[in-house]
Amino acid sequence: MALVVPVGRVPTVRAGRVPRTVDSGGSASLAVEVDAGPGVEFIAVRLPGPDAPGPGPVHLLPRAAHYASRLRWDAWGEGVDLRPDHLAAGRDALLISGPVTGPEGRRTVLPVAEPVPPGPLPPRVAGLVGVHRAPRPGDGTELRAVRPFQLGDRVRRIDWRVTLRAGAATGLPLGTLHVRERHAEADADLVLALDSRVDVGAELADWSIGPEGVRPGGSLDTAVRAIVGLAAGYLRQGDRVGLVDLGRPQLGLPPGVGHRHLLRIRHQLVACARSAGWAPRPVLRAVPAGAVVVVLTPLLDDAIVDCVIGAARHGAAIVVLDVLPKDLRPDPETEWGDVVRRVVLTEHRARRAALLAHGVPVADEVTTALRRIGRRR
């Protein structure tokens, strides 16, 4: 029967277009058109699904069909979410075409920007405008002092109540003119330093296994999400935010402002995660004078402690945000699992104590880090 059926053309699988760059937690509809041609009984196609990460499972479809699926991106990073591999077979399996490896559909999934309410930062002396109180006088809104009138003061700054009280104290209808002096308002610099050398989760047994991507809920995932939230919050109020990769300094970004700079930071964090890996010596450099540095690290080696303490000795205002998972679980397959867990936590506490002894505050969450930043003023 299959010998009398003419052999058709090579089967084709065409997929619709999906944006190359998407946000984490987003979704999109994907339309796939399958045209196997005559002489084909069925065709097996690998198609993505909303609950199947990666290229997805294999579906058996008729020789001509339209398939619609919903793609969803829960984890940020780079990866393949579409590769329509297919194999076509005719009656009695006398006609087999494939398997054919389909073209890869790669996506760059950006970490979602959830702005964190920003706290105060020490303003830079060179700043001209901003939302932070500067130590010098200027045209701000916060009162700095009330002083006698000087040549060059504006008349609208005269405090008539203080002037009248000064006159009453001397028995005169009008005393020495006094003016209200206010603080200038300046912008500030925030540098976010990412320790991309290690990415660990709560399971100690998985620390020796290199993940294919970023561990969901791991130290790198937590640090990147915190960086995006801090950057979005401070950029919204007009501050300058920069990015430093402690493992690969060439991937850093200088401080900038605006929404486009936030998008640039999100793209660069994906690049930092793609190049993440062990580096024996973290490097913290190119920090602007007067900037506050937030170092996000799990504090798993002494090199990061020496790097932070060295930068603090050179006058940098540093706050460390500890991103080590709090519920570390020992390896259940070895009797030394709990001992290893206690050793890791003991060394971790010793590194935190060393930072505190050198005047570097350590926080466990973003809100606490913001309070630490405010105290650095």
Side-chain angles (χ1 to χ4, degrees):
M1 182 65 183
L3 296 177
V4 300
V5 178
V7 178
R9 58 184 181 275
V10 177
T12 59
V13 178
R14 292 184 293 271
R17 292 186 176 182
V18 180
R20 294 293 303 272
T21 302
V22 295
D23 290 335
S24 175
S27 61
S29 178
L30 175 67
V32 179
E33 182 180 352
V34 178
D35 186 5
V40 174
E41 186 72 16
F42 68 89
I43 183 170
V45 186
R46 184 185 299 277
L47 296 174
D51 301 325
V58 176
H59 298 260
L60 290 179
L61 301 177
R63 63 182 185 179
H66 295 275
Y67 180 83
S69 178
R70 193 76 182 173
L71 297 179
R72 180 175 177 83
W73 303 278
D74 294 322
W76 60 271
E78 288 186 345
V80 178
D81 57 12
L82 174 63
R83 198 184 69 188
D85 305 340
H86 56 275
L87 182 146
R91 295 179 176 88
D92 302 327
L94 293 179
L95 170 64
I96 296 180
S97 175
V100 178
T101 302
E104 292 184 348
R106 304 189 69 89
R107 302 284 175 270
T108 299
V109 184
L110 302 179
V112 64
E114 298 178 354
V116 176
L121 287 178
R124 292 185 60 186
V125 178
L128 298 178
V129 294
V131 297
H132 302 284
R133 187 188 72 180
R136 66 183 185 281
D139 294 329
T141 58
E142 188 173 348
L143 180 64
R144 184 173 185 264
V146 178
R147 57 169 176 79
F149 183 88
Q150 298 176 359
L151 185 63
D153 289 336
R154 298 181 180 181
V155 177
R156 62 184 179 89
R157 291 184 179 178
I158 296 177
D159 191 328
W160 294 106
R161 292 185 178 181
V162 177
T163 300
L164 293 176
R165 284 200 300 267
T170 58
L172 299 175
L174 189 65
T176 304
L177 293 177
H178 284 72
V179 296
R180 299 172 67 90
E181 188 176 74
R182 303 181 184 277
H183 285 280
E185 292 179 344
D187 47 10
D189 279 352
L190 177 66
V191 176
L192 303 170
L194 172 66
D195 188 0
S196 62
R197 302 174 305 136
V198 290
D199 182 16
V200 295
E203 297 289 343
L204 290 176
D206 297 337
W207 284 19
S208 59
I209 303 175
E212 296 181 357
V214 179
R215 300 178 191 268
S219 60
L220 188 58
D221 183 28
T222 303
V224 167
R225 294 181 184 275
I227 285 177
V228 174
L230 288 171
Y234 281 98
L235 287 173
R236 175 175 292 183
Q237 70 176 10
D239 292 322
R240 290 181 290 270
V241 179
L243 177 66
V244 173
D245 190 331
L246 297 177
R248 287 149 187 85
Q250 69 274 13
L251 298 179
L253 290 175
V257 296
H259 177 73
R260 292 180 63 87
H261 188 65
L262 176 60
L263 185 62
R264 192 178 300 115
I265 289 176
R266 295 169 66 193
H267 276 278
Q268 198 65 20
L269 286 171
V270 175
C272 293
R274 182 178 62 247
S275 304
W278 175 248
R281 181 174 176 268
V283 178
L284 179 58
R285 62 188 182 189
V287 177
V292 172
V293 183
V294 180
V295 179
L296 299 97
T297 174
L299 292 174
L300 289 180
D301 64 339
D302 296 335
I304 186 65
V305 177
D306 297 337
C307 176
V308 172
I309 293 176
R313 287 176 177 172
H314 285 83
I318 299 182
V319 178
V320 174
L321 181 58
D322 186 4
V323 294
L324 182 71
K326 300 301 180 293
D327 54 343
L328 293 182
R329 294 183 288 274
D331 186 358
E333 297 182 0
T334 175
E335 57 181 347
W336 301 100
D338 192 60
V339 176
V340 173
R341 175 180 174 274
R342 290 200 301 268
V343 170
V344 170
L345 293 178
T346 301
E347 293 179 347
H348 182 261
R349 286 192 295 267
R351 296 186 185 102
R352 290 176 60 114
L355 291 173
L356 293 174
H358 286 81
V360 179
V362 182
D364 295 322
E365 55 184 7
V366 176
T367 55
T368 307
L370 294 177
R371 290 195 294 267
R372 297 289 194 273
I373 293 173
R375 293 174 185 174
R376 300 300 292 174
R377 303 187 64 178

